[in-house]
Amino acid sequence: MGCFECCIKCLGGVPYASLVATILCFCGVALFCGCGHVALTGTVSILESHFSKVASDHALLTDVIQLMQYVIYGIASFFFLYGIILLAEGFYTTSAVKELHSEFKTTICGRCISGMFVFLTYILGVAWLGVFGFSAVPVFLFYNMWSTCATMKLPTANLTDIDSICVDVRQYGIIPWNATPGKACGSTLGDICNTSEFYLSYHLYIVACAGAGATVIALIHFLMILSANWAYLKDASQMHAYQDIKMKEEQELQDITSHSKECLNSYT
């Protein structure tokens, strides 16, 4: 029973809300970074094979994609460390942990650290909203290509010239207007949509976008937890100050009472 009670007491000290938010954040960042990295590589391969035959036409885009892949490495490393720190902060402010350490007292430094995490998480949440919106752009572009290929397979498409149905990626600003061929039409476009690179990149972009959305939800969850923890630390600090004042007053009252009894006894 002693070991069982100890396990129950330790489990009661786990910040489950912070734990769920950390797992969701790790999963979202992992999906975004892993799938985004592979999808970007596939996008470059599709452009080089079907839309831009000259290397100089898409040299700038290749450099930007390589830079984004390096940024993905940094994002993955940063959020792995940041998630661990927020989880540790959740343990620090869990009420059950405070019950295990009866001498625990909140400090001004602890409240400042919690406030700093609230501000930083808010900034990261706003930034990830932008990342989530940006990650939806390639999903939209690939969806346009996929829907165009699906349109060519419809019976009504036989009424028109298939070669007149085209997708021009130059209009999206991905490659310059002088890039050749710059667009794919008819059966060529259908062949592109049937390649494994297009299929894989399209679905990886969808998963990466979902991962970015999960990360936004995790950061919002963290923000609510941190705000509640900061308020708890503030209230606990005020409670400790009140208890200290109360103990001093009770001690002074006891000293006065004992001194009065001593004076009365000596007089008697």
Side-chain angles (χ1 to χ4, degrees):
M1 289 298 294
C3 182
F4 178 76
E5 292 177 353
C6 181
C7 292
I8 294 300
K9 197 172 185 179
C10 291
L11 290 175
V14 177
Y16 293 101
S18 297
L19 184 61
V20 171
T22 302
I23 294 174
L24 182 61
C25 182
F26 284 171
C27 293
V29 172
L31 289 176
F32 174 78
C33 294
C35 296
H37 185 278
V38 178
L40 288 173
T41 303
T43 301
V44 173
S45 178
I46 293 173
L47 288 174
E48 291 178 348
S49 301
H50 305 286
F51 294 98
S52 181
K53 301 294 185 180
V54 182
S56 59
D57 292 338
H58 58 268
L60 179 60
L61 178 63
T62 302
D63 293 338
V64 171
I65 289 178
Q66 289 179 351
L67 179 61
M68 292 175 63
Q69 289 177 333
Y70 285 120
V71 171
I72 285 175
Y73 297 146
I75 290 175
S77 302
F78 172 78
F79 271 90
F80 176 79
L81 179 61
Y82 190 67
I84 295 297
I85 293 174
L86 291 183
L87 182 60
E89 200 272 345
F91 275 99
Y92 174 77
T93 53
T94 301
S95 58
V97 175
K98 296 177 183 179
E99 292 176 0
L100 293 175
H101 303 279
S102 58
E103 297 181 355
F104 174 85
K105 288 187 177 181
T106 57
T107 61
I108 297 178
C109 181
R111 297 196 302 273
C112 289
I113 292 175
S114 296
M116 180 191 68
F117 282 140
V118 171
F119 175 76
L120 183 58
T121 304
Y122 177 81
I123 297 299
L124 291 175
V126 173
W128 268 97
L129 282 174
V131 173
F132 175 68
F134 179 77
S135 62
V137 174
V139 176
F140 173 74
L141 299 181
F142 273 77
Y143 174 77
N144 283 343
M145 290 184 61
W146 176 82
S147 61
T148 303
C149 292
T151 301
M152 291 190 299
K153 298 178 182 179
L154 296 176
T156 55
N158 297 326
L159 301 177
T160 60
D161 186 8
I162 298 297
D163 292 333
S164 64
I165 301 177
C166 302
V167 170
D168 192 345
V169 298
R170 295 174 297 184
Q171 63 182 340
Y172 300 115
I174 299 176
I175 54 178
W177 281 103
N178 57 357
T180 53
K183 63 180 181 179
C185 303
S187 59
T188 303
L189 178 60
D191 293 338
I192 295 174
C193 294
N194 291 328
T195 59
S196 59
E197 291 179 345
F198 176 84
Y199 183 83
L200 180 62
S201 298
Y202 178 37
H203 288 83
L204 286 178
Y205 275 126
I206 294 175
V207 176
C209 184
T215 306
V216 172
I217 295 174
L219 290 174
I220 293 174
H221 194 178
F222 269 129
L223 186 60
M224 293 188 294
I225 296 169
L226 292 170
S227 300
N229 290 342
W230 182 83
Y232 183 88
L233 290 176
K234 183 179 179 181
D235 293 340
S237 177
Q238 294 176 352
M239 181 61 68
H240 283 303
Y242 170 76
Q243 291 177 353
D244 291 340
I245 294 173
K246 184 179 179 181
M247 290 179 60
K248 289 180 180 179
E249 291 179 350
E250 291 177 351
Q251 184 65 37
E252 291 177 357
L253 183 60
Q254 290 178 359
D255 293 340
I256 293 173
T257 303
S258 60
H259 181 69
S260 298
K261 290 181 179 179
E262 290 177 357
C263 292
L264 182 61
N265 292 333
S266 62
Y267 177 77
T268 302

